[in-house]
Amino acid sequence: MERYITQESKTDLLKLGVYQIIGGAIGILLLIWLIIKTETFPFGTIVIIGIMTFLFIFSIIAGLSCTSLNEKCIQFSTINQLLQSFGFIFLGFGYQFASGIYLTIGVDLTESFKFDFGFGLSKVILNFNTQDEIAEFHINVIAIGICFWIWKLQKRIKEEMSIRKLPELEFDKITKP
């Protein structure tokens, strides 16, 4: 892939990769702080910390794939950002994940229709059978914006690769008997 894309696309992938690596690293540091502050570790807590760790490590892997111009970097980054795009708490189950900067717009439907906003760095909320009276839905505006940027970048890279691969293929046809 590296041979077939422009310097602008390489720079954009590097920016995306560094952002994802930093977001994942901040998340891991927050998890370490959480582990230090936690006194007891029931099995459920260990499972939740394991899931949180996986999500932040996946963000780092997605970032590393971008910085190394791996063929799967767009796919990994899209999955990573989609996992961060939406969050919910409903019937005692909840999920919200952000690796990096997040800006959430939410709706709290618990007692009435109330808008909620959130801003910060890297977080994970995982609820299993808790707070069953809460009903919320959140959208991470930054993650959705990054998804659109990734999709535009993917389109540009596909165009660049098709243009830059074509002359090489035609040359191969001429030089090979």
Side-chain angles (χ1 to χ4, degrees), residues 6-91:
T6 63
Q7 187 59 44
E8 179 184 5
S9 293
K10 290 176 188 176
T11 302
D12 285 347
L13 286 172
L14 179 65
K15 290 175 192 174
L16 177 61
V18 168
Y19 172 76
Q20 293 179 114
I21 292 167
I22 291 172
I26 290 169
I28 294 292
L29 291 173
L30 290 172
L31 283 175
I32 291 169
W33 179 76
L34 173 72
I35 291 168
I36 291 170
K37 292 286 190 181
T38 303
E39 294 180 13
T40 62
F41 290 97
F43 180 72
T45 303
I46 293 170
V47 170
I48 289 173
I49 289 173
I51 293 169
M52 291 175 172
T53 304
F54 170 78
L55 290 170
F56 287 123
I57 288 174
F58 183 73
S59 183
I60 293 169
I61 290 169
L64 290 172
S65 71
C66 287
T67 59
S68 66
L69 302 175
N70 182 295
E71 295 286 335
K72 301 283 185 184
C73 67
I74 296 290
Q75 291 170 337
F76 290 160
S77 296
T78 300
I79 292 167
N80 184 36
Q81 295 305 315
L82 287 174
L83 286 170
Q84 298 176 56
S85 296
F86 303 98
F88 68 91
I89 298 174
F90 189 69
L91 297 174

Coordinates of all heavy atoms in Angstrom, one line a residue, residues 6-91:
T6 N -0.4 8.7 -1.9 CA 0.3 10.0 -1.9 C 0.9 10.2 -0.4 O 0.4 9.6 0.5 CB -0.6 11.1 -2.3 OG1 -1.6 11.2 -1.3 CG2 -1.1 10.9 -3.7
Q7 N 1.8 11.2 -0.4 CA 2.3 11.6 0.9 C 1.2 12.2 1.8 O 1.2 12.0 3.0 CB 3.4 12.6 0.8 CG 4.1 13.0 2.0 CD 4.8 11.8 2.7 OE1 5.4 10.9 2.0 NE2 4.6 11.7 4.0
E8 N 0.2 12.9 1.2 CA -0.9 13.4 2.0 C -1.7 12.3 2.7 O -2.1 12.4 3.8 CB -1.9 14.2 1.0 CG -3.1 14.8 1.7 CD -4.0 15.5 0.8 OE1 -3.8 15.4 -0.4 OE2 -5.0 16.1 1.3
S9 N -2.0 11.2 2.0 CA -2.7 10.1 2.5 C -1.9 9.4 3.6 O -2.4 9.0 4.7 CB -3.1 9.1 1.5 OG -4.0 9.6 0.6
K10 N -0.6 9.3 3.4 CA 0.3 8.7 4.4 C 0.3 9.6 5.7 O 0.2 9.0 6.8 CB 1.7 8.6 3.9 CG 1.9 7.5 2.8 CD 3.4 7.6 2.3 CE 3.5 6.7 1.1 NZ 4.9 6.7 0.5
T11 N 0.3 10.9 5.5 CA 0.3 11.8 6.7 C -1.1 11.7 7.4 O -1.1 11.7 8.6 CB 0.5 13.3 6.2 OG1 1.8 13.3 5.5 CG2 0.5 14.2 7.4
D12 N -2.2 11.6 6.7 CA -3.5 11.4 7.3 C -3.6 10.1 8.1 O -4.1 10.1 9.2 CB -4.6 11.5 6.3 CG -4.8 12.9 5.8 OD1 -4.3 13.9 6.4 OD2 -5.5 13.1 4.8
L13 N -3.0 9.0 7.5 CA -3.0 7.8 8.2 C -2.1 7.9 9.5 O -2.5 7.3 10.5 CB -2.5 6.6 7.3 CG -3.5 6.2 6.3 CD1 -2.8 5.2 5.3 CD2 -4.7 5.5 6.9
L14 N -1.0 8.6 9.4 CA -0.2 8.8 10.6 C -0.9 9.5 11.7 O -0.9 9.1 12.8 CB 1.1 9.5 10.2 CG 2.1 9.7 11.3 CD1 2.7 8.4 11.9 CD2 3.3 10.6 10.8
K15 N -1.6 10.6 11.3 CA -2.4 11.4 12.3 C -3.4 10.5 12.9 O -3.6 10.5 14.2 CB -3.1 12.6 11.6 CG -2.1 13.7 11.1 CD -3.0 14.7 10.4 CE -2.1 15.7 9.7 NZ -2.9 16.6 8.8
L16 N -4.2 9.8 12.1 CA -5.2 8.9 12.7 C -4.6 7.8 13.6 O -5.1 7.6 14.7 CB -5.9 8.2 11.5 CG -7.0 7.2 11.9 CD1 -8.1 7.8 12.7 CD2 -7.6 6.5 10.6
G17 N -3.5 7.3 13.2 CA -2.8 6.2 14.0 C -2.3 6.8 15.3 O -2.5 6.2 16.4
V18 N -1.7 7.9 15.3 CA -1.2 8.5 16.6 C -2.3 8.8 17.5 O -2.3 8.6 18.7 CB -0.3 9.8 16.2 CG1 0.0 10.6 17.5 CG2 1.0 9.4 15.5
Y19 N -3.4 9.4 16.9 CA -4.6 9.7 17.8 C -5.1 8.4 18.5 O -5.4 8.4 19.6 CB -5.7 10.3 16.9 CG -7.0 10.5 17.6 CD1 -7.2 11.5 18.5 CD2 -8.1 9.6 17.4 CE1 -8.4 11.6 19.2 CE2 -9.3 9.7 18.0 CZ -9.4 10.8 19.0 OH -10.6 10.9 19.6
Q20 N -5.2 7.3 17.7 CA -5.8 6.1 18.3 C -4.8 5.5 19.3 O -5.2 4.9 20.3 CB -6.1 5.1 17.1 CG -7.2 5.5 16.3 CD -7.6 4.6 15.2 OE1 -8.6 4.0 15.2 NE2 -6.6 4.4 14.2
I21 N -3.5 5.6 19.0 CA -2.5 5.0 20.0 C -2.6 5.8 21.3 O -2.6 5.3 22.4 CB -1.1 5.1 19.4 CG1 -1.0 4.1 18.2 CG2 0.0 4.8 20.4 CD1 0.3 4.2 17.4
I22 N -2.6 7.2 21.2 CA -2.6 8.0 22.4 C -3.9 7.7 23.2 O -3.9 7.6 24.4 CB -2.5 9.5 22.0 CG1 -1.1 9.8 21.5 CG2 -2.8 10.4 23.2 CD1 -0.8 11.1 21.0
G23 N -5.1 7.7 22.5 CA -6.3 7.4 23.1 C -6.3 6.1 23.8 O -6.8 6.0 25.0
G24 N -5.8 5.0 23.2 CA -5.7 3.7 23.8 C -4.8 3.7 25.0 O -5.1 3.1 26.1
A25 N -3.7 4.4 24.9 CA -2.7 4.5 26.0 C -3.3 5.2 27.2 O -3.1 4.8 28.3 CB -1.4 5.2 25.5
I26 N -4.0 6.3 26.9 CA -4.7 7.0 28.0 C -5.7 6.1 28.7 O -5.8 6.0 30.0 CB -5.3 8.3 27.6 CG1 -4.3 9.3 27.2 CG2 -6.3 8.9 28.6 CD1 -4.8 10.5 26.4
G27 N -6.4 5.3 27.9 CA -7.4 4.4 28.5 C -6.7 3.3 29.3 O -7.2 3.0 30.4
I28 N -5.6 2.8 28.9 CA -4.9 1.8 29.6 C -4.4 2.4 31.0 O -4.5 1.7 32.0 CB -3.7 1.2 28.8 CG1 -4.2 0.4 27.6 CG2 -2.8 0.3 29.7 CD1 -4.9 -0.9 27.9
L29 N -3.9 3.6 30.9 CA -3.4 4.3 32.1 C -4.6 4.5 33.1 O -4.4 4.3 34.3 CB -2.7 5.6 31.8 CG -1.4 5.5 31.1 CD1 -0.9 6.9 30.7 CD2 -0.3 4.8 32.0
L30 N -5.7 4.8 32.6 CA -6.9 5.0 33.5 C -7.3 3.7 34.1 O -7.7 3.6 35.2 CB -8.1 5.6 32.7 CG -7.9 7.1 32.3 CD1 -9.0 7.5 31.3 CD2 -7.9 8.0 33.5
L31 N -7.2 2.6 33.3 CA -7.5 1.3 33.8 C -6.5 0.9 34.9 O -6.9 0.3 36.0 CB -7.5 0.2 32.7 CG -8.7 0.2 31.8 CD1 -8.5 -0.8 30.7 CD2 -10.0 -0.1 32.6
I32 N -5.3 1.2 34.7 CA -4.3 0.9 35.8 C -4.6 1.6 37.0 O -4.5 1.1 38.1 CB -2.8 1.2 35.3 CG1 -2.4 0.2 34.2 CG2 -1.8 1.2 36.4 CD1 -1.2 0.6 33.4
W33 N -5.0 2.9 36.9 CA -5.4 3.7 38.0 C -6.6 3.1 38.7 O -6.7 3.0 39.9 CB -5.6 5.1 37.6 CG -6.1 6.0 38.7 CD1 -5.3 6.6 39.7 CD2 -7.4 6.5 38.9 NE1 -6.0 7.4 40.5 CE2 -7.3 7.3 40.1 CE3 -8.6 6.3 38.3 CZ2 -8.4 8.0 40.6 CZ3 -9.7 7.0 38.8 CH2 -9.6 7.8 40.0
L34 N -7.6 2.6 37.9 CA -8.8 2.0 38.5 C -8.4 0.7 39.3 O -8.9 0.5 40.4 CB -9.7 1.6 37.4 CG -10.9 0.8 37.7 CD1 -11.9 1.6 38.5 CD2 -11.6 0.3 36.5
I35 N -7.5 -0.1 38.7 CA -7.1 -1.3 39.4 C -6.4 -1.0 40.7 O -6.6 -1.7 41.7 CB -6.2 -2.2 38.4 CG1 -7.0 -2.7 37.3 CG2 -5.5 -3.3 39.2 CD1 -6.2 -3.3 36.1
I36 N -5.5 0.0 40.7 CA -4.8 0.4 41.9 C -5.8 0.9 43.0 O -5.7 0.5 44.2 CB -3.8 1.5 41.6 CG1 -2.6 0.9 40.8 CG2 -3.3 2.1 42.9 CD1 -1.7 2.0 40.2
K37 N -6.9 1.6 42.6 CA -7.9 2.1 43.5 C -8.9 1.0 44.0 O -9.5 1.2 45.0 CB -8.7 3.2 42.9 CG -7.9 4.5 42.6 CD -7.6 5.2 43.9 CE -7.0 6.6 43.7 NZ -6.8 7.3 44.9
T38 N -9.0 -0.1 43.3 CA -10.0 -1.1 43.6 C -9.4 -2.0 44.7 O -8.3 -2.5 44.5 CB -10.4 -1.9 42.3 OG1 -10.9 -1.0 41.4 CG2 -11.4 -2.9 42.7
E39 N -10.2 -2.3 45.7 CA -9.7 -3.1 46.8 C -10.0 -4.6 46.6 O -9.2 -5.5 46.9 CB -10.3 -2.7 48.1 CG -9.8 -1.3 48.5 CD -10.4 -0.8 49.8 OE1 -11.0 -1.6 50.5 OE2 -10.2 0.4 50.1
T40 N -11.1 -4.9 46.1 CA -11.5 -6.3 45.8 C -11.8 -6.5 44.4 O -12.3 -5.6 43.7 CB -12.7 -6.7 46.7 OG1 -13.8 -5.9 46.3 CG2 -12.4 -6.6 48.1
F41 N -11.6 -7.7 43.9 CA -11.8 -8.1 42.5 C -12.7 -9.3 42.4 O -12.2 -10.4 42.1 CB -10.5 -8.3 41.8 CG -9.7 -7.1 41.6 CD1 -8.7 -6.8 42.5 CD2 -9.9 -6.3 40.6 CE1 -7.9 -5.7 42.3 CE2 -9.2 -5.1 40.4 CZ -8.2 -4.8 41.3
P42 N -14.0 -9.1 42.5 CA -14.9 -10.3 42.2 C -14.8 -10.6 40.7 O -14.3 -9.8 39.9 CB -16.3 -9.8 42.5 CG -16.2 -8.3 42.9 CD -14.7 -7.9 42.9
F43 N -15.2 -11.8 40.4 CA -15.1 -12.3 39.0 C -15.7 -11.4 38.0 O -15.1 -11.1 36.9 CB -15.8 -13.7 38.9 CG -15.6 -14.3 37.5 CD1 -14.4 -14.7 37.0 CD2 -16.7 -14.3 36.6 CE1 -14.3 -15.2 35.7 CE2 -16.6 -14.8 35.4 CZ -15.4 -15.3 34.9
G44 N -16.9 -10.8 38.3 CA -17.5 -9.9 37.3 C -16.6 -8.6 37.0 O -16.5 -8.2 35.9
T45 N -16.0 -8.1 38.1 CA -15.1 -7.0 37.9 C -13.9 -7.4 37.0 O -13.5 -6.6 36.2 CB -14.6 -6.5 39.3 OG1 -15.7 -6.2 40.1 CG2 -13.7 -5.3 39.1
I46 N -13.4 -8.6 37.2 CA -12.2 -9.0 36.4 C -12.6 -9.1 34.9 O -11.9 -8.7 34.0 CB -11.7 -10.4 36.9 CG1 -11.1 -10.1 38.3 CG2 -10.7 -11.0 36.0 CD1 -10.7 -11.4 39.0
V47 N -13.8 -9.6 34.7 CA -14.3 -9.8 33.3 C -14.5 -8.4 32.7 O -14.1 -8.1 31.5 CB -15.7 -10.5 33.2 CG1 -16.3 -10.5 31.9 CG2 -15.4 -12.0 33.6
I48 N -15.1 -7.4 33.4 CA -15.3 -6.1 32.9 C -13.9 -5.4 32.6 O -13.8 -4.8 31.6 CB -16.1 -5.3 33.8 CG1 -17.6 -5.8 33.8 CG2 -16.1 -3.8 33.5 CD1 -18.5 -5.2 34.8
I49 N -13.0 -5.5 33.5 CA -11.7 -4.9 33.3 C -11.0 -5.6 32.1 O -10.3 -4.9 31.3 CB -10.8 -5.0 34.6 CG1 -11.3 -4.1 35.6 CG2 -9.3 -4.7 34.2 CD1 -10.6 -4.2 37.0
G50 N -11.2 -6.9 31.9 CA -10.6 -7.6 30.7 C -11.2 -7.0 29.4 O -10.5 -6.8 28.4
I51 N -12.5 -6.8 29.4 CA -13.2 -6.3 28.2 C -12.7 -4.8 27.9 O -12.4 -4.5 26.8 CB -14.7 -6.3 28.4 CG1 -15.2 -7.7 28.4 CG2 -15.4 -5.5 27.2 CD1 -16.7 -7.9 28.8
M52 N -12.6 -4.0 29.0 CA -12.1 -2.7 28.9 C -10.7 -2.7 28.3 O -10.3 -1.9 27.4 CB -12.1 -2.0 30.2 CG -13.5 -1.7 30.8 SD -13.3 -1.0 32.4 CE -14.9 -0.5 32.8
T53 N -9.8 -3.5 28.8 CA -8.5 -3.6 28.4 C -8.4 -4.0 26.9 O -7.7 -3.4 26.1 CB -7.7 -4.7 29.2 OG1 -7.8 -4.3 30.6 CG2 -6.2 -4.8 28.8
F54 N -9.2 -5.0 26.5 CA -9.3 -5.4 25.1 C -9.7 -4.2 24.2 O -9.0 -4.0 23.2 CB -10.3 -6.5 24.9 CG -10.5 -6.8 23.4 CD1 -9.6 -7.5 22.7 CD2 -11.7 -6.3 22.8 CE1 -9.8 -7.8 21.3 CE2 -11.9 -6.6 21.5 CZ -11.0 -7.3 20.7
L55 N -10.7 -3.4 24.6 CA -11.1 -2.3 23.8 C -10.0 -1.3 23.6 O -9.7 -0.8 22.5 CB -12.3 -1.6 24.4 CG -13.6 -2.4 24.3 CD1 -14.7 -1.8 25.2 CD2 -14.1 -2.6 22.9
F56 N -9.3 -0.9 24.7 CA -8.2 0.0 24.6 C -7.0 -0.5 23.8 O -6.3 0.2 23.0 CB -7.8 0.5 25.9 CG -8.8 1.5 26.5 CD1 -9.3 1.2 27.8 CD2 -9.2 2.6 25.9 CE1 -10.3 2.1 28.3 CE2 -10.1 3.5 26.4 CZ -10.6 3.2 27.7
I57 N -6.7 -1.8 24.0 CA -5.6 -2.4 23.2 C -6.0 -2.5 21.7 O -5.1 -2.3 20.9 CB -5.3 -3.8 23.7 CG1 -4.5 -3.7 25.1 CG2 -4.4 -4.7 22.8 CD1 -4.3 -5.0 25.8
F58 N -7.2 -2.7 21.4 CA -7.7 -2.7 20.0 C -7.5 -1.3 19.4 O -7.1 -1.2 18.2 CB -9.1 -3.2 19.9 CG -9.6 -3.2 18.4 CD1 -9.1 -4.2 17.6 CD2 -10.4 -2.2 17.9 CE1 -9.5 -4.3 16.3 CE2 -10.8 -2.3 16.6 CZ -10.4 -3.3 15.8
S59 N -7.7 -0.3 20.2 CA -7.5 1.1 19.7 C -6.0 1.3 19.4 O -5.7 1.9 18.3 CB -7.9 2.1 20.7 OG -7.8 3.4 20.3
I60 N -5.1 0.8 20.2 CA -3.7 0.9 20.0 C -3.3 0.1 18.7 O -2.5 0.5 17.9 CB -2.9 0.4 21.2 CG1 -3.1 1.4 22.4 CG2 -1.4 0.3 20.9 CD1 -2.6 0.9 23.7
I61 N -3.9 -1.1 18.6 CA -3.6 -2.0 17.4 C -4.0 -1.2 16.1 O -3.3 -1.2 15.1 CB -4.2 -3.3 17.5 CG1 -3.5 -4.2 18.6 CG2 -4.2 -4.1 16.2 CD1 -4.2 -5.4 19.0
A62 N -5.2 -0.7 16.2 CA -5.7 0.1 15.0 C -4.8 1.2 14.7 O -4.5 1.5 13.5 CB -7.1 0.6 15.3
G63 N -4.3 1.9 15.7 CA -3.4 3.0 15.5 C -2.0 2.6 14.9 O -1.5 3.2 14.0
L64 N -1.5 1.5 15.5 CA -0.2 0.9 15.0 C -0.4 0.5 13.5 O 0.6 0.6 12.7 CB 0.2 -0.2 15.8 CG 0.7 0.2 17.2 CD1 1.0 -1.1 18.1 CD2 2.0 1.1 17.1
S65 N -1.5 -0.1 13.2 CA -1.7 -0.5 11.8 C -1.7 0.7 10.8 O -1.3 0.6 9.7 CB -3.0 -1.3 11.6 OG -4.2 -0.5 11.7
C66 N -2.2 1.8 11.3 CA -2.2 3.1 10.5 C -0.8 3.6 10.3 O -0.4 4.0 9.2 CB -3.1 4.1 11.1 SG -4.8 3.9 10.9
T67 N 0.0 3.6 11.4 CA 1.3 4.2 11.4 C 2.3 3.3 10.6 O 3.2 3.8 10.0 CB 1.9 4.4 12.8 OG1 1.9 3.2 13.5 CG2 1.1 5.4 13.6
S68 N 2.0 2.0 10.5 CA 2.8 1.1 9.7 C 2.2 0.9 8.3 O 2.8 0.1 7.5 CB 2.9 -0.2 10.4 OG 1.7 -0.9 10.4
L69 N 1.1 1.6 7.9 CA 0.5 1.6 6.6 C 0.1 0.1 6.3 O 0.2 -0.3 5.1 CB 1.4 2.2 5.5 CG 1.8 3.6 5.7 CD1 2.8 4.1 4.7 CD2 0.6 4.5 5.8
N70 N -0.4 -0.6 7.2 CA -0.9 -1.9 7.1 C -2.2 -1.9 6.2 O -3.0 -1.0 6.2 CB -1.3 -2.5 8.4 CG -1.7 -3.9 8.4 OD1 -2.8 -4.2 7.8 ND2 -1.0 -4.8 8.9
E71 N -2.3 -2.9 5.4 CA -3.5 -3.0 4.4 C -4.8 -3.0 5.2 O -5.8 -2.5 4.6 CB -3.4 -4.3 3.6 CG -2.2 -4.4 2.7 CD -2.4 -3.5 1.5 OE1 -3.5 -3.2 1.1 OE2 -1.3 -3.1 0.9
K72 N -4.9 -3.4 6.4 CA -6.1 -3.5 7.2 C -6.4 -2.3 8.0 O -7.3 -2.3 8.8 CB -6.1 -4.8 8.1 CG -6.0 -6.1 7.4 CD -7.3 -6.4 6.8 CE -7.2 -7.8 6.1 NZ -8.4 -8.2 5.4
C73 N -5.5 -1.3 7.9 CA -5.6 -0.1 8.9 C -7.0 0.6 8.8 O -7.5 1.0 9.8 CB -4.5 0.8 8.7 SG -4.5 1.7 7.1
I74 N -7.5 0.7 7.6 CA -8.8 1.4 7.4 C -9.9 0.6 8.1 O -10.8 1.1 8.8 CB -9.1 1.7 6.0 CG1 -8.1 2.6 5.3 CG2 -10.6 2.2 5.8 CD1 -8.2 4.1 5.8
Q75 N -9.9 -0.7 7.9 CA -10.9 -1.6 8.5 C -10.8 -1.5 10.0 O -11.8 -1.4 10.7 CB -10.7 -3.0 8.0 CG -11.1 -3.2 6.6 CD -10.7 -4.6 6.1 OE1 -9.8 -5.3 6.6 NE2 -11.4 -5.0 5.0
F76 N -9.6 -1.7 10.6 CA -9.4 -1.6 12.0 C -9.9 -0.3 12.6 O -10.6 -0.2 13.6 CB -8.0 -1.9 12.4 CG -7.5 -3.3 12.2 CD1 -6.1 -3.5 12.1 CD2 -8.3 -4.4 12.1 CE1 -5.6 -4.8 11.9 CE2 -7.9 -5.6 11.9 CZ -6.5 -5.9 11.8
S77 N -9.5 0.8 11.9 CA -9.8 2.1 12.4 C -11.3 2.4 12.4 O -11.9 3.0 13.3 CB -9.1 3.2 11.6 OG -7.7 3.1 11.9
T78 N -12.0 1.9 11.3 CA -13.4 2.0 11.2 C -14.1 1.3 12.3 O -15.0 1.8 13.0 CB -13.9 1.5 9.8 OG1 -13.3 2.3 8.8 CG2 -15.4 1.7 9.7
I79 N -13.7 0.1 12.5 CA -14.3 -0.7 13.6 C -14.1 0.0 15.0 O -15.0 0.1 15.8 CB -13.8 -2.2 13.7 CG1 -14.2 -2.9 12.4 CG2 -14.2 -2.9 14.9 CD1 -13.5 -4.2 12.2
N80 N -12.9 0.4 15.2 CA -12.6 1.1 16.4 C -13.5 2.3 16.6 O -14.0 2.5 17.7 CB -11.1 1.5 16.4 CG -10.6 2.1 17.7 OD1 -11.1 1.8 18.8 ND2 -9.8 3.1 17.6
Q81 N -13.6 3.1 15.6 CA -14.5 4.4 15.8 C -15.9 4.0 15.9 O -16.7 4.7 16.6 CB -14.2 5.3 14.6 CG -12.8 5.9 14.6 CD -12.4 6.5 15.9 OE1 -13.1 7.3 16.5 NE2 -11.2 6.2 16.4
L82 N -16.4 3.0 15.1 CA -17.8 2.6 15.3 C -18.1 2.1 16.7 O -19.2 2.4 17.2 CB -18.2 1.6 14.2 CG -18.3 2.1 12.8 CD1 -18.5 0.9 11.8 CD2 -19.4 3.1 12.6
L83 N -17.2 1.4 17.3 CA -17.4 1.0 18.7 C -17.6 2.1 19.6 O -18.1 2.0 20.7 CB -16.2 0.1 19.1 CG -16.2 -1.3 18.5 CD1 -14.9 -2.0 18.9 CD2 -17.4 -2.2 19.0
Q84 N -17.0 3.3 19.2 CA -17.1 4.5 20.1 C -18.2 5.4 19.7 O -18.5 6.4 20.5 CB -15.8 5.3 19.9 CG -14.6 4.5 20.4 CD -13.3 5.2 20.1 OE1 -13.1 6.4 20.6 NE2 -12.4 4.7 19.4
S85 N -18.9 5.2 18.7 CA -19.9 6.1 18.2 C -21.2 6.2 19.0 O -21.9 7.2 19.0 CB -20.3 5.8 16.7 OG -19.1 6.0 15.9
F86 N -21.6 5.1 19.5 CA -22.9 5.0 20.2 C -22.7 4.4 21.6 O -21.9 3.5 21.8 CB -23.9 4.2 19.4 CG -24.1 4.7 18.0 CD1 -23.4 4.2 17.0 CD2 -24.9 5.8 17.8 CE1 -23.6 4.7 15.7 CE2 -25.1 6.3 16.5 CZ -24.4 5.7 15.5
G87 N -23.5 4.8 22.6 CA -23.6 4.2 23.9 C -25.0 4.2 24.4 O -25.8 4.9 23.9
F88 N -25.2 3.3 25.4 CA -26.6 3.2 25.9 C -26.5 2.6 27.3 O -25.5 2.0 27.7 CB -27.4 2.3 25.1 CG -27.0 0.8 25.1 CD1 -27.5 0.0 26.1 CD2 -26.0 0.4 24.3 CE1 -27.0 -1.4 26.1 CE2 -25.6 -0.9 24.3 CZ -26.1 -1.8 25.3
I89 N -27.6 2.9 28.1 CA -27.8 2.2 29.3 C -29.3 2.0 29.3 O -30.2 2.9 29.1 CB -27.5 3.1 30.6 CG1 -26.0 3.4 30.6 CG2 -27.9 2.4 31.9 CD1 -25.6 4.4 31.7
F90 N -29.7 0.7 29.4 CA -31.1 0.3 29.2 C -31.3 -1.1 29.9 O -30.6 -2.0 29.7 CB -31.5 0.2 27.8 CG -32.9 0.0 27.5 CD1 -33.8 1.1 27.8 CD2 -33.4 -1.2 27.0 CE1 -35.2 0.9 27.5 CE2 -34.7 -1.3 26.7 CZ -35.6 -0.3 27.0
L91 N -32.3 -1.2 30.7 CA -32.7 -2.4 31.4 C -31.6 -3.0 32.2 O -31.4 -4.2 32.2 CB -33.3 -3.4 30.4 CG -34.6 -3.0 29.7 CD1 -35.0 -4.0 28.7 CD2 -35.7 -2.8 30.7

